[in-house]
């Protein structure tokens, strides 16, 4: 599959050469990344996917006031809500009325109005595609009794809105509804289908020629408290996460730390490395303005280019395995 990079904590530093040089598709945060930054990426011939959460409200986003009344149920993975998802709540995405792209904005449900505005903003910033997250509210606890049909209707709406601006739309996770929306989306983004044993759900989608941008998370993608570790066992990580449907399935896989900063590891035998990023003043760091443990982890992860380069070389040398030599070649040229 095509090599891609996803960075949702800070933004790529476009003032200097970008690594990896052969990643032609970049998934970045819609709010934190400026029109100038996106323009600089596109000047390099890169395709830019713009991420935003469509199924949840995030209390650090500038349009949160428009969504606050329509959120229910904390998106947390612990009882005290001190996790990475602090400040995030499932949204009421229901719409019982018929709609089209010509439907006046004031006649749309409040959440849909906000997403229409966000998609227009993506176009105005120069995004090639949108990556609307959290389409699986039907599979999570909330007071709205969301259904698969609600998510299907919602993703169709966003895809139609994006198409007006010649932007593509991806389905993030929510594999259960993929068969019913695959004709409306141009790509898929998946997190941890290997860990969750669900990669087979993408077989038909891949066979249709559409790409799946696949992310697996590993503790080895984060730093030790000393701040110097990258991927401690490259061979083990690639063996575990690469080619989940076999070498001919052409998954576009990247192995990351959960903070989604600049670090990357691919399945083509190339060196692991780190894209240099810059913090945008006043931004939420993409994933969470409040930060919590993930913000602390990200600060611990920052390493200098010299440290990263030296350690990457050491790790790669120690991890040259038979699996690497037989790894499939990335870069099929899939468009988004």
């Amino acid at each position: 599959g095509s090599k891609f990079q996803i960075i949702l904590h800070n933004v790529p530093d476009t003032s200097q050469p970008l690594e990896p040089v052969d990643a032609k598709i970049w998934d970045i945060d819609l709010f934190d990344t400026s029109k100038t930054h996106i323009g600089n990426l596109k000047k390099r011939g890169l395709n830019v996917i713009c991420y935003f959460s469509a199924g949840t409200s995030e209390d650090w986003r500038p349009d949160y006031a428009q969504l606050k009344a329509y959120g229910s149920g904390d998106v947390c993975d612990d009882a005290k809500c001190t996790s990475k998802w602090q400040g995030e709540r499932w949204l009421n995405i229901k719409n019982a009325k018929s709609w089209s792209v010509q439907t006046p904005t004031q006649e749309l449900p409040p959440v849909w109005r906000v997403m229409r505005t966000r998609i227009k903003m993506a176009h105005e910033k120069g995004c090639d595609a949108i990556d609307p997250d959290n389409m699986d509210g039907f599979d999570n606890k909330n007071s709205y009794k969301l259904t698969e049909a609600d998510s299907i209707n919602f993703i169709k709406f966003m895809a139609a809105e994006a198409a007006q601006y010649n932007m593509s739309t991806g389905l993030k996770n929510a594999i259960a509804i993929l068969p019913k929306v695959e004709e409306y989306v141009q790509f898929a983004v998946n997190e941890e289908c290997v860990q969750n044993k669900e990669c087979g759900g993408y077989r038909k989608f891949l066979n249709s020629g559409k790409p799946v941008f696949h992310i697996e998370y590993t503790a080895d993608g984060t730093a030790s408290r000393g701040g110097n570790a990258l991927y401690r066992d490259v061979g083990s990580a690639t063996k575990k996460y690469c080619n989940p449907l076999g070498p001919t399935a052409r998954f576009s896989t990247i192995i990351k730390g959960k903070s989604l900063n600049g670090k990357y590891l691919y399945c083509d035998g190339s060196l692991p490395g780190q894209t240099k990023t810059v913090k945008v003043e006043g931004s939420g760091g993409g994933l969470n303005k409040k930060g919590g443990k993930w913000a602390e982890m990200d600060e611990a992860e920052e390493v200098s280019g010299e440290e990263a380069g030296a350690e990457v070389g050491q790790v790669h040398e120690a991890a040259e395995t038979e699996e690497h030599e037989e790894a499939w070649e990335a870069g099929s040229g899939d468009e988004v």
Side-chain angles (χ1 to χ4, degrees):
S2 295
K3 185 174 285 189
F4 77 107
Q5 168 67 304
I6 179 168
I7 296 176
L8 300 183
H9 181 82
N10 298 330
V11 300
D13 184 356
T14 58
S15 69
Q16 54 188 303
L18 283 176
E19 297 287 346
V21 296
D22 54 347
K24 299 303 181 184
I25 299 167
W26 290 67
D27 196 336
I28 45 85
D29 187 86
L30 171 62
F31 287 98
D32 290 352
T33 315
S34 69
K35 181 176 181 179
T36 298
H37 267 91
I38 291 173
N40 287 341
L41 290 171
K42 295 187 70 172
K43 286 177 183 177
R44 299 168 187 254
L46 307 178
N47 286 305
V48 179
I49 302 173
C50 290
Y51 167 96
F52 59 91
S53 181
T56 65
S57 63
E58 300 165 313
D59 65 6
W60 61 93
R61 299 299 190 181
D63 57 4
Y64 173 67
Q66 300 173 55
L67 295 170
K68 183 176 181 179
Y70 308 100
S72 168
D74 292 317
V75 182
C76 286
D77 54 15
D78 59 80
K80 294 183 179 179
C81 200
T82 57
S83 73
K84 180 180 181 180
W85 315 119
Q86 184 181 5
E88 195 167 352
R89 296 169 71 84
W90 292 102
L91 286 170
N92 183 1
I93 63 171
K94 289 180 177 291
N95 184 6
K97 298 179 179 179
S98 61
W99 58 268
S100 74
V101 292
Q102 283 78 40
T103 301
T105 298
Q106 64 270 21
E107 295 181 13
L108 294 172
V111 172
W112 288 39
R113 294 177 208 161
V114 173
M115 299 311 148
R116 172 176 276 182
T117 300
R118 289 184 178 184
I119 291 167
K120 182 180 180 182
M121 179 170 72
H123 162 66
E124 291 172 345
K125 283 191 171 186
C127 307
D128 297 298
I130 58 170
D131 174 15
D133 199 3
N134 295 305
M135 290 291 93
D136 54 354
F138 58 84
D139 202 28
N140 288 274
K141 184 178 179 180
N142 57 78
S143 64
Y144 299 122
K145 297 181 179 179
L146 297 174
T147 66
E148 289 186 6
D150 293 325
S151 289
I152 291 168
N153 197 29
F154 193 35
I155 195 72
K156 285 181 180 179
F157 164 73
M158 289 188 288
E161 290 288 317
Q164 292 187 99
Y165 304 111
N166 294 316
M167 292 190 298
S168 300
T169 299
L171 178 68
K172 185 73 159 283
N173 300 321
I175 298 177
I177 66 171
L178 182 60
K180 296 181 180 178
V181 302
E182 60 182 325
E183 66 179 286
Y184 304 99
V185 299
Q186 290 72 49
F187 62 96
V189 180
N190 173 267
E191 296 170 295
E192 299 189 294
C193 74
V194 172
Q195 295 269 25
N196 297 326
K197 297 181 172 60
E198 57 187 9
C199 297
Y202 288 104
R203 193 181 299 276
K204 181 182 175 184
F205 191 80
L206 287 163
N207 289 342
S208 74
K210 294 181 178 181
V212 175
F213 301 113
H214 167 225
I215 309 155
E216 290 289 335
Y217 299 117
T218 172
D220 285 348
T222 62
S224 64
R225 295 195 68 82
N228 294 323
L230 284 175
Y231 296 89
R232 290 183 286 274
D233 189 346
V234 172
S236 175
T238 54
K239 183 177 182 179
K240 181 177 181 180
Y241 296 124
C242 295
N243 305 325
L245 297 180
T248 61
R250 310 296 286 178
F251 259 61
S252 297
T253 298
I254 187 170
I255 302 169
K256 302 277 293 186
K258 285 189 176 180
S259 56
L260 287 169
N261 66 3
K263 293 180 182 176
Y264 56 81
L265 172 63
Y266 296 101
C267 298
D268 60 354
S270 60
L271 294 170
Q274 182 170 6
T275 303
K276 292 185 178 179
T277 62
V278 293
K279 182 173 178 57
V280 178
E281 189 66 29
S283 80
L287 289 177
N288 196 332
K289 181 178 181 180
K290 293 177 184 277
K293 66 177 181 179
W294 295 115
E296 293 171 6
M297 179 180 67
D298 280 326
E299 292 199 6
E301 284 183 7
E302 294 304 323
V303 295
S304 71
E306 292 79 9
E307 289 175 322
E311 185 159 344
V312 164
Q314 294 166 5
V315 172
H316 186 73
E317 183 178 355
E320 284 186 340
T321 63
E322 184 177 348
E323 286 80 17
H324 264 193
E325 294 171 2
E326 296 176 353
W328 53 272
E329 180 181 359
S332 66
D334 296 324
E335 295 295 325
V336 297

